[in-house]
Amino acid sequence: MNVSIENRKARHDYFIYDKYEAGISLVGSEVKSIREGKVNLKDSFVRFSKGEAYLVNCHISPYSKIQGYVDLNPTRSRKLLLHKEQIGRMMGKISQKGFAVVPLKMYFKKGLIKVEIAVAKGKKQFDKRETIRKRIHERESQIAIKKHSRQ
Protein backbone atom coordinates (compact mmCIF):
# COMPACT_ATOMS: atom_id res chain seq x y z
CA MET A 1 0.00 0.00 0.00
CA ASN A 2 1.77 3.13 -1.20
CA VAL A 3 -0.43 6.14 -0.43
CA SER A 4 0.68 9.42 -1.97
CA ILE A 5 -1.32 12.64 -1.58
CA GLU A 6 -0.37 15.48 -3.93
CA ASN A 7 -1.03 19.20 -3.78
CA ARG A 8 -1.65 19.92 -7.47
CA LYS A 9 -2.85 23.45 -6.72
CA ALA A 10 0.61 24.37 -5.43
CA ARG A 11 2.22 23.51 -8.78
CA HIS A 12 -0.43 25.63 -10.51
CA ASP A 13 -0.12 28.65 -8.21
CA TYR A 14 3.65 28.72 -7.56
CA PHE A 15 7.03 28.48 -9.28
CA ILE A 16 8.86 25.71 -7.38
CA TYR A 17 12.51 26.36 -6.44
CA ASP A 18 14.04 24.21 -3.65
CA LYS A 19 12.48 20.94 -2.46
CA TYR A 20 12.96 19.35 0.96
CA GLU A 21 11.77 16.12 2.56
CA ALA A 22 10.47 16.47 6.10
CA GLY A 23 9.09 14.11 8.70
CA ILE A 24 5.89 15.09 10.47
CA SER A 25 4.76 14.69 14.06
CA LEU A 26 1.34 13.00 14.19
CA VAL A 27 -1.06 11.17 16.50
CA GLY A 28 -1.81 7.46 15.85
CA SER A 29 -5.33 7.99 14.53
CA GLU A 30 -4.02 10.62 12.07
CA VAL A 31 -1.58 8.06 10.63
CA LYS A 32 -4.44 5.62 10.07
CA SER A 33 -6.48 8.35 8.42
CA ILE A 34 -3.56 9.20 6.10
CA ARG A 35 -3.32 5.52 5.16
CA GLU A 36 -6.96 5.81 4.05
CA GLY A 37 -5.99 8.86 1.96
CA LYS A 38 -8.18 11.34 3.85
CA VAL A 39 -5.81 14.31 3.65
CA ASN A 40 -6.22 17.70 1.99
CA LEU A 41 -3.05 19.76 1.38
CA LYS A 42 -4.81 22.33 -0.81
CA ASP A 43 -4.61 25.48 1.33
CA SER A 44 -1.81 24.45 3.65
CA PHE A 45 1.54 26.17 4.11
CA VAL A 46 4.60 26.08 6.37
CA ARG A 47 5.06 28.62 9.16
CA PHE A 48 8.28 29.13 11.13
CA SER A 49 8.18 29.85 14.85
CA LYS A 50 11.10 29.89 17.31
CA GLY A 51 13.41 28.04 14.91
CA GLU A 52 10.90 25.27 14.20
CA ALA A 53 8.69 24.57 11.18
CA TYR A 54 4.96 23.84 11.42
CA LEU A 55 2.54 22.61 8.76
CA VAL A 56 -0.50 24.86 9.05
CA ASN A 57 -4.01 24.35 7.68
CA CYS A 58 -3.46 20.75 6.52
CA HIS A 59 -6.79 18.95 6.89
CA ILE A 60 -6.53 15.35 8.09
CA SER A 61 -10.02 13.90 8.57
CA PRO A 62 -10.73 11.88 11.72
CA TYR A 63 -10.18 8.13 11.40
CA SER A 64 -13.45 6.43 10.41
CA LYS A 65 -13.13 3.28 12.57
CA ILE A 66 -12.08 4.97 15.80
CA GLN A 67 -13.24 3.44 19.09
CA GLY A 68 -14.44 5.99 21.63
CA TYR A 69 -14.31 9.75 21.43
CA VAL A 70 -11.13 11.59 20.50
CA ASP A 71 -11.37 15.33 20.04
CA LEU A 72 -8.64 16.34 17.56
CA ASN A 73 -8.82 19.46 15.46
CA PRO A 74 -8.46 18.28 11.80
CA THR A 75 -6.61 21.47 10.80
CA ARG A 76 -4.29 21.80 13.80
CA SER A 77 -0.65 22.83 13.29
CA ARG A 78 1.71 19.87 13.03
CA LYS A 79 5.44 20.05 13.68
CA LEU A 80 7.75 19.27 10.76
CA LEU A 81 10.97 17.41 11.52
CA LEU A 82 13.85 19.15 9.72
CA HIS A 83 17.51 19.91 10.32
CA LYS A 84 18.38 23.39 11.62
CA GLU A 85 20.43 24.12 8.50
CA GLN A 86 17.43 23.35 6.27
CA ILE A 87 15.18 25.58 8.35
CA GLY A 88 17.78 28.37 8.20
CA ARG A 89 18.05 28.10 4.39
CA MET A 90 14.27 28.21 3.99
CA MET A 91 13.88 31.16 6.37
CA GLY A 92 16.54 33.04 4.41
CA LYS A 93 14.70 32.43 1.14
CA ILE A 94 11.25 33.41 2.40
CA SER A 95 12.57 36.66 3.85
CA GLN A 96 12.59 37.84 0.22
CA LYS A 97 9.32 39.25 -1.09
CA GLY A 98 6.91 36.82 -2.76
CA PHE A 99 8.43 33.57 -1.48
CA ALA A 100 6.60 30.98 0.62
CA VAL A 101 7.07 27.39 1.75
CA VAL A 102 4.29 25.06 0.60
CA PRO A 103 3.75 21.30 0.86
CA LEU A 104 3.77 19.45 -2.46
CA LYS A 105 3.23 15.84 -1.47
CA MET A 106 2.63 13.55 1.52
CA TYR A 107 3.74 9.92 1.25
CA PHE A 108 5.03 6.88 3.10
CA LYS A 109 8.73 6.02 3.07
CA LYS A 110 9.91 2.91 4.94
CA GLY A 111 6.77 3.01 7.10
CA LEU A 112 7.16 6.68 8.04
CA ILE A 113 5.10 9.58 6.75
CA LYS A 114 7.09 12.20 4.87
CA VAL A 115 6.05 15.58 3.51
CA GLU A 116 7.74 17.05 0.46
CA ILE A 117 7.88 20.83 0.95
CA ALA A 118 9.23 23.45 -1.40
CA VAL A 119 10.33 27.06 -1.37
CA ALA A 120 8.08 28.64 -3.98
CA LYS A 121 7.24 32.01 -5.48
CA GLY A 122 3.66 32.93 -6.34
CA LYS A 123 2.63 33.10 -9.99
CA LYS A 124 0.78 36.03 -11.48
CA GLN A 125 -2.40 35.43 -13.49
CA PHE A 126 -0.60 35.75 -16.84
CA ASP A 127 1.97 33.16 -15.72
CA LYS A 128 -0.83 30.70 -14.96
CA ARG A 129 -2.37 31.25 -18.40
CA GLU A 130 1.03 30.71 -20.03
CA THR A 131 1.45 27.42 -18.16
CA ILE A 132 -1.96 26.25 -19.38
CA ARG A 133 -1.06 27.22 -22.96
CA LYS A 134 2.18 25.24 -22.78
CA ARG A 135 0.37 22.19 -21.41
CA ILE A 136 -2.23 22.32 -24.22
CA HIS A 137 0.52 22.76 -26.83
CA GLU A 138 2.43 19.75 -25.44
CA ARG A 139 -0.73 17.62 -25.48
CA GLU A 140 -1.52 18.58 -29.11
CA SER A 141 2.03 17.86 -30.24
CA GLN A 142 1.98 14.42 -28.54
CA ILE A 143 -1.29 13.61 -30.33
CA ALA A 144 0.18 14.73 -33.67
CA ILE A 145 3.30 12.59 -33.13
CA LYS A 146 1.17 9.58 -32.20
CA LYS A 147 -1.02 10.08 -35.31
CA HIS A 148 2.02 10.43 -37.56
CA SER A 149 3.65 7.27 -36.20
CA ARG A 150 0.50 5.21 -36.87
CA GLN A 151 0.50 6.02 -40.60
Side-chain angles (χ1 to χ4, degrees), residues 13 18 31 41 44 58 67 69 75 78 83 87 89-91 110 112 114 121 130 139 145 151:
D13 290 344
D18 298 333
V31 174
L41 295 172
S44 57
C58 173
Q67 299 287 325
Y69 180 75
T75 58
R78 294 165 179 91
H83 293 285
I87 292 173
R89 269 186 261 141
M90 282 189 269
M91 288 176 70
K110 295 182 182 176
L112 301 174
K114 300 291 183 177
K121 187 170 185 176
E130 184 63 32
R139 192 176 308 134
I145 291 170
Q151 294 176 354

Side-chain angles (χ1 to χ4, degrees), residues 131-145:
T131 305
I132 292 169
R133 271 191 221 108
K134 285 180 184 176
R135 194 175 338 130
I136 290 170
H137 179 69
E138 282 288 321
R139 192 176 308 134
E140 289 173 351
S141 63
Q142 290 296 325
I143 291 170
I145 291 170

Side-chain angles (χ1 to χ4, degrees), residues 15 27-28 30 66 71 87 102 139 141:
F15 291 113
V27 178
E30 290 177 328
I66 196 160
D71 187 23
I87 292 173
V102 293
R139 192 176 308 134
S141 63

Side-chain angles (χ1 to χ4, degrees), residues 45-90:
F45 59 94
V46 177
R47 178 175 286 152
F48 296 98
S49 172
K50 300 177 185 172
E52 294 180 343
Y54 293 92
L55 183 62
V56 180
N57 226 11
C58 173
H59 189 280
I60 300 177
S61 298
Y63 183 54
S64 60
K65 300 172 184 129
I66 196 160
Q67 299 287 325
Y69 180 75
V70 177
D71 187 23
L72 283 177
N73 183 3
T75 58
R76 70 182 181 90
S77 297
R78 294 165 179 91
K79 186 176 178 182
L80 294 177
L81 308 172
L82 291 160
H83 293 285
K84 286 184 181 180
E85 299 83 33
Q86 292 175 327
I87 292 173
R89 269 186 261 141
M90 282 189 269

